[in-house]
Amino acid sequence: MVSSRATNGSTSLTFPRRLPASRLGTKHDTLDAFHHAVHPFRPETCKEYTLVVVTERVLETNSANGESVTRQRILLGLKNRGFGMGMYNSFGGKFLHDEESVEECACRELQKETNLMVTLEEMTQAKVGIQRYTFQNDPAEMVMHVFRIQLESTKHRATQTVVGCDEITPQWFEDINQIPFDNMFADDSLWLTALLSSEVPLAINGSYHFRENCQETNTILEYYIDVQPKNKNNKGFSLEQRLFHALHNKCVHSPNIKEFKENYAFCNAVRNAFGKSNSKHQFDIVIDVAGGHGALGALFLVCTSAYEAVVVDPADVGGGGVWKAWGTDFIGCDKRLRYRSECLRTGLPAELENALTLTSSDRILVVACHACQHLSEETMSISCQYGVHVAVMPCCQTDLSAGGSWKSTSRNLSVPVAVVMDLLQCGKIMALGMYDVRMKVIDPDITPQNRIISCRALHTDATGISLERQQKVARAHSRLVNAYKKAHVLAKSSDPHYQFLAIFVSNFRGPALYLSLGFAMGVLSFHLVKKR
């Protein structure tokens, strides 16, 4: 738990000029709840900026007792023009994507506005997090990459003097309790107070939805803030969290949080079904049917050995956002995410034909997450024709049989009709004799339509019969032959018990019965021999 109070020398931090709660809006416990609260607002554009908080520990002597004490001060700037004119803020500016990294932008803007030079390595280590802003009357989202520089620890501090520019006038606030939050943007009363109050470095990520005419009203309507102890290199964050943060960092809004969670859970469940550590069940090519933004295909590139993912969707909705967020840091330049704008019935067979020229059928996986019933059935049917692996998470299941007989059955069994239809689909694929069919479920809190049908293609011979099934039948037949031989050997014995067993076996030679007789005969024979 992060400390909510700290000391500035001997003075407790109370922030008396912090804005009242009535100006700070409604706090939400999850980012999903925040998004629901601001729905249907969706930003159309995104502008990115950097913001550097500059603090410094100063050693001074207490005149009363002669003891040395350390206090902390903060450098703020009074805006002379532009957005926020007449208000105090930290230092930063617009991030130029094509010309620099975020850290380089932060270094450039800090030097421009304060004359303070910080190395790129120091700025990289100073990253606090990302604050995101939306406004009632503005379709643009503002994304702020926040850093905190502890000035006395920097390489060039001893030789530098603070100098402002025409845009902003820097000013030291020697007492942090006197920070003019009443003349700063409202979000500073939330995340900046948390940052300064903690005795340990923090990672802070927040989302804030402001009332219209932000500069005049300066009032937050809804917000979500995540405050965690800072962990170097993000080792404390799971892969799922890092992937989602990367989407937000790059202003990628599709997939949204619900779609991302569904896709991530689906990918994990399918990997479990096929065996995460079993290289035989890894993939070379993944085909994502009706995948839209391509996040599901991209996740398989991140989490499996697949080197190519193809999204087949009649709508041209790729946009490149997923690759922008994950391509360099998570997927890598040796893998490829590709989009094909075409319907399932022609696009999927074409991609399967192409994939089979590049690799074997047991290295190809077809997936469809939240595909409606007929789409799920067609996806599995086409995939089975080509003998490749397939996994689908169906939705919108209905009983299409004459008279709705299965719907009636579901009522009699007190089982939802959607579950019945999924089980029927499993049985249909199992009847082919070419697939190991399993049903997995994901967390119902993510989605109530949470059943995944995973079909692992089995190796077949020239006749199309599963080699694994043939091996199982061969082993069973071998056991039956041995049991039969033993029965005939026993028939030569004069012992009435042995004769009875031989006659019984000779009269009942059904394959199913031999399986059970093998075990029964073994137990009984052991008993008789022991009795002798």
Side-chain angles (χ1 to χ4, degrees), residues 68-362:
S68 296
V69 294
T70 301
R71 62 177 176 82
Q72 187 156 236
R73 61 179 184 169
I74 186 169
L75 185 66
L76 297 174
L78 182 65
K79 289 293 294 291
N80 299 324
R81 57 182 171 84
F83 184 66
M85 184 176 70
M87 302 176 74
Y88 284 96
N89 203 355
S90 291
F91 306 94
K94 190 172 183 179
F95 170 38
L96 307 176
H97 280 269
D98 299 331
E99 302 176 17
E100 60 189 352
S101 67
V102 171
E103 293 76 16
E104 288 171 336
C105 174
C107 290
R108 173 177 58 78
E109 287 289 340
L110 180 63
Q111 185 174 11
K112 170 188 169 184
E113 296 184 348
T114 65
N115 195 45
L116 295 174
M117 186 181 297
V118 174
T119 67
L120 186 59
E121 181 181 1
E122 289 169 340
M123 190 63 75
T124 300
Q125 294 175 351
K127 185 71 178 283
V128 171
I130 296 176
Q131 313 310 313
R132 312 176 76 89
Y133 307 94
T134 51
F135 312 91
Q136 271 190 324
N137 62 338
D138 191 338
E141 179 184 40
M142 181 183 293
V143 176
M144 197 75 70
H145 298 266
V146 178
F147 302 81
R148 182 187 183 178
I149 291 295
Q150 198 66 42
L151 202 56
E152 78 280 355
S153 302
T154 59
K155 180 179 179 180
H156 303 292
R157 177 60 182 121
T159 61
Q160 296 183 107
T161 303
V162 175
V163 178
C165 64
D166 60 344
E167 183 180 348
I168 195 167
T169 302
Q171 178 182 338
W172 282 109
F173 285 80
E174 303 293 340
D175 183 356
I176 284 186
N177 267 325
Q178 294 306 310
I179 293 177
F181 287 109
D182 50 2
N183 192 27
M184 300 174 71
F185 283 109
D187 61 287
D188 290 320
S189 290
L190 297 170
W191 67 265
L192 185 55
T193 54
L195 181 67
L196 297 175
S197 296
S198 176
E199 297 177 356
V200 298
L202 296 181
I204 303 178
N205 295 281
S207 295
Y208 315 87
H209 189 60
F210 275 79
R211 188 184 297 279
E212 60 183 353
N213 301 319
C214 168
Q215 187 163 345
E216 289 74 25
T217 58
N218 195 23
T219 299
I220 297 172
L221 298 176
E222 318 282 343
Y223 76 94
Y224 164 76
I225 186 170
D226 179 41
V227 181
Q228 301 289 339
K230 190 173 182 181
N231 195 309
K232 291 183 179 179
N233 300 322
N234 283 333
K235 291 181 179 178
F237 294 109
S238 66
L239 175 62
E240 181 180 10
Q241 290 171 321
R242 287 185 283 126
L243 287 166
F244 184 69
H245 286 160
L247 289 172
H248 272 261
N249 293 351
K250 298 296 184 180
C251 301
V252 177
H253 302 292
S254 181
N256 60 36
I257 186 170
K258 181 178 184 297
E259 292 170 332
F260 171 77
K261 287 182 176 180
E262 289 172 354
N263 286 177
Y264 192 85
F266 179 97
C267 178
N268 240 4
V270 172
R271 289 172 62 219
N272 280 326
F274 283 86
K276 288 183 179 180
S277 60
N278 191 340
S279 61
K280 185 178 73 171
H281 299 152
Q282 288 291 338
F283 320 107
D284 291 334
I285 298 174
V286 175
I287 302 175
D288 181 6
V289 176
H293 40 63
L296 181 59
L299 285 170
F300 277 96
L301 292 179
V302 173
C303 299
T304 74
S305 62
Y307 60 78
E308 181 176 60
V310 186
V311 181
V312 178
D313 197 304
D316 186 12
V317 292
V322 169
W323 186 266
K324 173 185 172 184
W326 299 341
T328 302
D329 296 332
F330 296 95
I331 298 175
C333 59
D334 58 334
K335 297 189 176 187
R336 183 167 68 145
L337 177 63
R338 183 164 57 82
Y339 295 85
R340 184 186 186 114
S341 181
E342 191 173 344
C343 73
L344 160 71
R345 290 179 179 175
T346 58
L348 179 56
E351 285 299 336
L352 285 171
E353 293 280 1
N354 179 63
L356 286 168
T357 65
L358 302 173
T359 188
S360 58
S361 61
D362 63 328

Side-chain angles (χ1 to χ4, degrees), residues 282-473:
Q282 288 291 338
F283 320 107
D284 291 334
I285 298 174
V286 175
I287 302 175
D288 181 6
V289 176
H293 40 63
L296 181 59
L299 285 170
F300 277 96
L301 292 179
V302 173
C303 299
T304 74
S305 62
Y307 60 78
E308 181 176 60
V310 186
V311 181
V312 178
D313 197 304
D316 186 12
V317 292
V322 169
W323 186 266
K324 173 185 172 184
W326 299 341
T328 302
D329 296 332
F330 296 95
I331 298 175
C333 59
D334 58 334
K335 297 189 176 187
R336 183 167 68 145
L337 177 63
R338 183 164 57 82
Y339 295 85
R340 184 186 186 114
S341 181
E342 191 173 344
C343 73
L344 160 71
R345 290 179 179 175
T346 58
L348 179 56
E351 285 299 336
L352 285 171
E353 293 280 1
N354 179 63
L356 286 168
T357 65
L358 302 173
T359 188
S360 58
S361 61
D362 63 328
R363 305 286 297 181
I364 301 171
L365 171 68
V366 177
V367 294
C369 181
H370 265 177
C372 60
Q373 181 174 329
H374 78 274
L375 182 60
S376 295
E377 291 178 357
E378 285 202 48
T379 299
M380 287 189 282
S381 176
I382 294 172
S383 300
C384 290
Q385 290 175 28
Y386 286 86
V388 300
H389 307 304
V390 58
V392 301
M393 186 160 71
C395 67
C396 311
Q397 301 95 324
T398 57
D399 181 10
L400 302 177
S401 63
S405 59
W406 290 109
K407 187 174 182 180
S408 174
T409 301
S410 74
R411 284 197 300 268
N412 293 335
L413 295 175
S414 299
V415 176
V417 68
V419 175
V420 173
M421 302 313 295
D422 287 348
L423 291 173
L424 286 173
Q425 189 61 36
C426 288
K428 179 180 177 181
I429 304 301
M430 290 176 68
L432 297 175
M434 299 166 55
Y435 283 87
D436 176 17
V437 183
R438 301 184 184 185
M439 184 176 287
K440 308 284 285 187
V441 294
I442 63 174
D443 187 348
D445 289 338
I446 297 175
T447 174
Q449 298 283 358
N450 65 335
R451 292 174 301 280
I452 299 172
I453 302 173
S454 80
C455 309
R456 182 171 65 85
L458 304 175
H459 298 291
T460 59
D461 63 7
T463 65
I465 301 174
S466 163
L467 297 178
E468 293 181 37
R469 176 161 292 192
Q470 290 183 54
Q471 291 170 357
K472 289 182 180 179
V473 171

